[in-house]
Amino acid sequence: MKSHYETSAALLLLKCIILMAVDAVNPGCDCLVFSATYGKEYGVFSSQDYPKPYPSHVDCLLYTFVAHKDEIVEITFKDFDIYKSHLDCLKGDYLKVFLHLEKGEVNELSPWSRVLCGSLQDIPPVLYSSGPALILELHSQSNLNNATGFVGSFRFIDKRSFQTDGQRLAGTDCDYQLISNNLTRSRGRFFSPRYPSNYPQHIKCTYKLRARSRERVRVLFEEVMLEKGDVSCLNRADVIKVYDGRNNLAPTIAMLCNEVTEQEVLSTGSDMYIEFISNSDLPGQGFKALFQFQPVATLTTTSDRLHSIETEKSTLATGPVTHIKKMPDTGSPATTTPMTPTTDADLDIELSEPEMTTQRPKKVVVCPRVTNCDMVIYSDNSKNGTISSPGYPEPYPAHSYCRLDFQGRGKERVQIIFRDFDLFNPNDDAKECIDALLVYVQIDGRLERVDNHCGQTLPRPIMSNGPGLMLEFKGVYSSRNSRGYLAEYSFIENYGIHSGEQIANLPCAFTFNGTMQRSGVLYSPNFPGYYPRDTECHYFFQGINDDTIHIKFHHFDVEGVPPCEAISASDYVEFSNFMARDRRYERYCGQKEAFEIKSDRKFFRITFRSNDRLDGTGFNASYRFVRKMEQSVSSQPVAKANHSGVVHNSVFLILLLLLVVVEL
């Protein structure tokens, strides 16, 4: 009895042969055509004889998927096993993929998108066409293996689900402007070219987002799938750059590369400019993003902000690739109980003697002496200030619950520095905190707890991984000896790094110039606190003439396991004598004793990169610009003196004796 796959293949092969006789569809190949799912959500396809080994000596067998003109094809591999005899798939058995077709026809001149072989782990599990047709071309050699081929599903998707909600600029292929006015929506979507299929090679696309004067631009990159790898964005051929202004001369607030999900970016003004650059030989799927023109500081409560992303996605849900992720329930009564809006008097109390600074005066944010208080603190209103538990410095009342939601813009990060900390903890056990201060950041579109503080130990400084951060205070018990906490908050753009000169055209980069300062210190973001997740910072050293750079690390704690690669989900520090990666230096991660690194040239680069997993306290180091002449002098043997001050140098004495003999 024939299997379902064998019966379907036989019928479709007969249909394809008839089409070939009439329409001359690539007469050099056998062909299977899939053009309908017969009322089901998915159709099924497989290699011949699956799950038995596929036939040998297949010169050309086409699996042709044909949709309507306003549709694209999605195929998903459930199993894949094409014998891989060589690193170059074309030298063995392979499956050639054609993604960019307007008709279900190919010939020897048709450009393919990629070639697949190996196992399911070696290929993208899902493929999309950019037009109404997609073709897989199977070739096999002698049957010296037991490779079983492939099986998968296919469906047809409305292409209009992936149209950018903006105006394409005349004379361009992929430059768009998205402008806020009375005739446009305040929110929408934009995509990389051909999304969800692979974007073209060697392209540059721009997206100009312009809000009105009392609005700001918010962009959420839901999914970014570019050239794969864990290499720094500084050296990636495919990259997305986000500028906080009208063009690429404005400060860079984000660089996205590799694979990213749910990355939020907020402008400080009414303009945002985005560049998408593709120069790799193997393009990825690209990106899909949401944009919104937001009135300044319109969200008034924490719950409003936490559900804003979910609401926008629900409103804009226009296709099968839209994934809606709900924010986690923190388990507190306030997540289900409506919160009372706080007044300006509750939130902001001006200091009687503001600090002498060029920034706005600090503000004191004190939770009212009530059991529940929730506040949103915007950098638009105050760049820094003081926060505390309810009633501080008096003991906080029992059953206190407060959420402080900080929202910055641009490249701003939220930094919290504690000045006093005293929470009731009868067990003196940090693993079983009763009264606690919890810290949350956004990771992959959801709030994730990254810290849990209790007892009387003063917490290390805290820093967000993006423009937002949330503190959750739970004061279950009250004790006359528990003062609560007092801390200072700041919205900063320098990642807490105060050495070197910050560079505007990268999100986090600092230059150290040997003509300005010959020695100094450097450290990781937020040191001595835990460094933020999903962060990449660069330190560039530029010497003069024959300088080299000597860097001594005094403290080093970077989460990871050697060789500090993506396979071990490691954060890392990378060293290079060039802008590109320098194979002379291995990556550094883990906890290390003091060590020293020396450059070969007058230019040197250090790159720090963290992922979204765990974190450490980072590093601090000292640096020196050293001239080669100084190095050679310091490397000379040091003459030793006896107690009478006479220098003993055997080589010098021998030469002197020889000279006396010659003169005699």
Side-chain angles (χ1 to χ4, degrees), residues 12-33 48 57-64 94-96 98 104-110 135-140:
L12 288 168
L13 180 59
L14 177 61
K15 181 179 179 181
C16 188
I17 292 172
I18 296 173
L19 284 173
M20 287 169 59
V22 178
D23 297 331
V25 179
N26 196 23
C29 300
D30 292 329
C31 179
L32 298 169
V33 173
Q48 189 175 348
H57 303 292
V58 175
D59 291 330
C60 177
L61 175 59
L62 301 181
Y63 295 79
T64 302
Y94 62 87
L95 194 67
K96 193 178 290 184
F98 299 84
E105 303 174 5
V106 292
N107 56 44
E108 64 275 8
L109 300 179
S110 300
I135 293 179
L136 307 176
E137 182 179 319
L138 176 64
H139 294 259
S140 68

Side-chain angles (χ1 to χ4, degrees), residues 330-459:
T330 58
S332 65
T335 57
T336 56
T337 303
M339 291 177 286
T340 303
T342 50
T343 65
D344 292 340
D346 293 326
L347 297 180
D348 301 325
I349 303 174
E350 294 286 355
L351 289 174
S352 57
E353 295 182 8
E355 289 190 333
M356 298 300 293
T357 175
T358 55
Q359 296 179 333
R360 297 182 182 182
K362 282 191 175 183
K363 295 189 176 182
V364 180
V365 180
V366 182
C367 285
R369 193 173 178 80
V370 293
T371 55
N372 290 281
C373 59
D374 296 89
M375 293 171 284
V376 181
I377 303 172
Y378 291 95
S379 67
D380 292 332
N381 300 327
S382 175
K383 296 298 184 185
N384 50 64
T386 303
I387 56 175
S388 70
S389 53
Y392 180 88
E394 299 297 325
Y396 50 86
H399 307 294
S400 296
Y401 178 82
C402 300
R403 288 188 299 181
L404 299 179
D405 188 15
F406 298 86
Q407 183 58 58
R409 291 195 172 276
K411 64 171 65 177
E412 289 178 340
R413 297 295 182 264
V414 186
Q415 186 177 48
I416 310 291
I417 298 177
F418 290 91
R419 300 306 182 191
D420 190 15
F421 198 86
D422 182 11
L423 302 188
F424 180 67
N425 187 20
N427 299 324
D428 197 25
D429 185 355
K431 294 182 180 179
E432 297 181 3
C433 295
I434 298 176
D435 293 359
L437 184 67
L438 312 178
V439 183
Y440 297 86
V441 296
Q442 287 270 354
I443 295 178
D444 291 342
R446 66 185 184 277
L447 280 179
E448 183 168 312
R449 191 175 75 187
V450 294
D451 268 319
N452 182 18
H453 301 291
C454 62
Q456 297 179 334
T457 302
L458 193 70

Side-chain angles (χ1 to χ4, degrees), residues 42 104 164 183 206 257 278 303 312 383 436 580 584 623 633 644 663:
Y42 294 92
T164 293
L183 301 178
T206 63
C257 64
S278 164
S303 60
E312 287 167 25
K383 296 298 184 185
R584 176 188 167 185
Y623 70 88
V633 170
S644 61
E663 289 182 351

Side-chain angles (χ1 to χ4, degrees), residues 515 518 542-548 601-602 627-628:
T515 61
R518 301 293 293 177
Q542 184 62 57
I544 56 175
N545 300 325
D546 59 351
D547 278 349
T548 58
R601 306 167 62 235
K602 64 181 179 181
R627 292 178 178 167
K628 287 186 178 179

Side-chain angles (χ1 to χ4, degrees), residues 447-497:
L447 280 179
E448 183 168 312
R449 191 175 75 187
V450 294
D451 268 319
N452 182 18
H453 301 291
C454 62
Q456 297 179 334
T457 302
L458 193 70
R460 293 176 180 270
I462 296 169
M463 181 172 288
S464 65
N465 63 334
L469 178 142
M470 192 178 80
L471 298 180
E472 183 179 50
F473 174 66
K474 293 182 177 181
V476 179
Y477 294 100
S478 178
S479 169
R480 63 181 181 179
N481 298 319
S482 298
R483 300 182 303 277
Y485 71 88
L486 175 69
E488 295 177 356
Y489 72 86
S490 301
F491 293 97
I492 59 177
E493 295 185 350
N494 64 3
Y495 291 78
I497 299 172

Side-chain angles (χ1 to χ4, degrees), residues 495-530:
Y495 291 78
I497 299 172
H498 300 284
S499 60
E501 181 180 351
Q502 190 166 11
I503 301 172
N505 62 359
L506 290 170
C508 179
F510 300 82
T511 182
F512 300 80
N513 196 320
T515 61
M516 305 293 292
Q517 189 171 338
R518 301 293 293 177
S519 64
V521 297
L522 67 147
Y523 36 87
S524 54
N526 197 46
F527 186 84
Y530 291 101

Side-chain angles (χ1 to χ4, degrees), residues 2-17 31-32 34 46 48-49:
K2 291 186 177 181
S3 69
H4 167 73
Y5 297 118
E6 290 173 319
T7 305
S8 300
L11 293 174
L12 288 168
L13 180 59
L14 177 61
K15 181 179 179 181
C16 188
I17 292 172
C31 179
L32 298 169
F34 303 85
S46 68
Q48 189 175 348
D49 298 331

